[in-house]
Amino acid sequence: GRTNHPPGFLLSCWPCRDDFCPATDYAVGMDDVTRKQDRVPDFGADFRAQLLELFRWRRDVRKFRRDPLPAGALERLLSVASLAPSVGLSEPWRFVIVDSEGNRQSIRACFERTNNEALRGYSGERAALYARLKLEGLSDAPCQLAVFADPATPQGHGLGRMTMPMTIEYLAVAAVNLIWLAARAEGIGMGWVSILDPAEVKGALDVPTEWTLIGYFCLGYPLAESDTPTLETDGWECRAKSGSTVLRR
């Protein structure tokens, strides 16, 4: 696998080029995203209301249009990850942009196999419902992305991870959430494909075996918009009532 990449790097899965440089090829807009502010912004009531609407309309998208995203859009969204929470300022997320058709075919084959295995874990009406669900957009999404966490990153010098090393993975998930919201604000849909074999994905994408797969994501313009989760619409599950997951001690 590839080693010694800078923290937070982007890796493209086209065949390797001798002149490939993550810092210059893909870190689009990073300086703008992390620039210093001259004043503390006022997040007024109107902004907060719009922010809540953004949260409500973020969906796990499965059905995409095949229109390509504008040039640089994906790289710009990924630069938002630098604003995610980062224990020890470790920035352990690793992004692999999957462009080559061969790699995409490998991921689709992995999904089909693991999805069939998952289906066999259900029976009766639940199995029939599972079989009808569309759980990926791998054939249509113009952009595809694998996200990993690097547990061996030297950045941050281990601060905050001695007793909870799994925070490395949590940080990568937090970065994904920021990217998801930033994409939705631009009208770009994002879908999480989790029905995959992590070892097989790492092998297909030629990344270090010690990395942890966080998820494989499809991005593109959605065929339809909704403020209701697809799995709720399809009758798989309903959201828990607000407050039902909160405890006081």
Side-chain angles (χ1 to χ4, degrees):
R2 301 175 176 87
T3 57
N4 299 321
H5 291 296
F9 81 100
L10 308 179
L11 177 68
S12 176
C13 277
W14 280 110
C16 293
R17 307 193 322 261
D18 291 337
D19 63 344
F20 174 72
C21 176
T24 56
D25 282 10
Y26 294 116
V28 177
M30 183 66 74
D31 290 341
D32 184 63
V33 167
T34 59
R35 72 185 187 279
K36 300 296 183 182
Q37 301 289 319
D38 295 330
R39 62 180 179 81
V40 177
D42 177 18
F43 300 118
D46 290 344
F47 173 86
R48 295 194 299 273
Q50 283 195 307
L51 184 62
L52 183 58
E53 285 298 288
L54 176 63
F55 296 162
R56 285 173 173 154
W57 284 85
R58 184 211 58 81
R59 291 276 67 79
D60 197 350
V61 177
R62 308 301 188 190
K63 298 179 181 180
F64 295 90
R65 290 162 30 197
R66 295 191 175 186
D67 317 39
L69 297 182
L74 178 58
E75 292 80 10
R76 184 178 66 255
L77 291 173
L78 295 182
S79 72
V80 174
S82 64
L83 303 177
S86 182
V87 171
L89 201 57
S90 55
E91 298 182 295
W93 39 80
R94 304 290 182 261
F95 303 118
V96 180
I97 299 173
V98 184
D99 286 328
S100 76
E101 185 55 33
N103 286 329
R104 290 188 177 195
Q105 288 178 358
S106 295
I107 298 300
R108 283 196 294 270
C110 180
F111 170 82
E112 290 171 2
R113 184 168 53 259
T114 53
N115 190 50
N116 286 333
E117 292 173 0
L119 175 59
R120 289 195 290 271
Y122 297 99
S123 61
E125 293 183 4
R126 183 62 63 173
L129 177 55
Y130 184 94
R132 294 195 297 270
L133 297 175
K134 182 169 176 55
L135 299 173
E136 46 74 34
L138 296 169
S139 297
D140 297 319
C143 294
Q144 298 184 24
L145 171 75
V147 180
F148 298 87
D150 180 5
T153 179
Q155 186 171 338
H157 308 285
L159 190 154
R161 291 186 270 141
M162 298 299 182
T163 58
M164 294 185 65
M166 70 289 293
T167 54
I168 286 291
E169 298 167 21
Y170 302 161
L171 301 178
V173 174
V176 165
N177 193 47
L178 280 192
I179 294 167
W180 212 321
L181 292 171
R184 181 62 190 84
E186 295 191 24
I188 297 171
M190 187 166 169
W192 190 328
V193 184
S194 62
I195 307 173
L196 295 168
D197 181 299
E200 193 170 336
V201 172
K202 286 189 281 187
L205 301 183
D206 187 25
V207 301
T209 56
E210 65 269 20
W211 286 5
T212 301
L213 177 66
I214 300 301
Y216 192 92
F217 298 88
C218 297
L219 293 96
Y221 295 114
L223 276 178
E225 303 276 14
S226 176
D227 63 351
T228 304
T230 302
L231 290 179
E232 187 172 334
T233 302
D234 290 344
W236 181 262
E237 187 56 274
C238 295
R239 279 176 162 164
K241 292 183 179 179
S242 178
S244 65
T245 58
V246 179
L247 304 177
R248 290 185 182 272
R249 292 289 186 266

